[in-house]
Amino acid sequence: MAEPEFTAKGVRIGKRLRSLTRAGQVRISDGRLALLTSYGTEIDSAPVQAVRASKPWFAPEDRALADLNGKRYTLTLGEHDPAPGEPGPPAARRFIEAVRKAAGRGG
């Protein structure tokens, strides 16, 4: 299996007003984006070309939206990239850039 192109751990993943996990994972690997629980169980996945990642209006800097398979997920990542060697999810901006790059839409 190839090395993941993007991985974020400790991500809060929600759908509408419901929290699905507080410490989930977001992974882009082999052309697919996967949302996983803290135990590694898949919540949802889709080819990155079919995923739309964006920044919600009027939301804190640590939030991102991901549309997969007709469902919208709210991701709470980090406000800033963590220092080298420090735990914590990367910035939401980095997630959006990674999705666009993996899908071949620039970035």
Side-chain angles (χ1 to χ4, degrees):
M1 189 158 131
E3 191 69 26
E5 298 154 35
F6 177 86
T7 302
K9 295 182 179 181
V11 178
R12 180 182 290 251
I13 301 173
K15 192 169 150 187
R16 298 199 184 258
L17 297 176
R18 190 172 131 225
S19 177
L20 300 175
T21 182
R22 291 184 185 182
Q25 297 179 40
V26 176
R27 183 177 298 152
I28 298 174
S29 181
D30 297 327
R32 289 188 72 78
L33 180 126
L35 303 178
L36 309 168
T37 66
S38 56
Y39 299 110
T41 306
E42 187 175 289
I43 296 170
D44 204 349
S45 73
V48 279
Q49 288 84 5
V51 173
R52 195 169 67 101
S54 60
K55 178 90 181 77
W57 289 18
F58 306 111
E61 284 294 311
D62 62 350
R63 300 270 168 85
L65 295 174
D67 292 331
L68 284 82
N69 303 320
K71 300 176 199 127
R72 177 168 287 176
Y73 296 94
T74 305
L75 309 175
T76 305
L77 293 112
E79 199 166 316
H80 304 286
D81 286 331
E86 292 294 313
R93 169 188 45 78
R94 224 174 97 217
F95 163 71
I96 295 167
E97 290 170 3
V99 170
R100 290 181 180 152
K101 183 179 176 186
R105 293 187 287 238

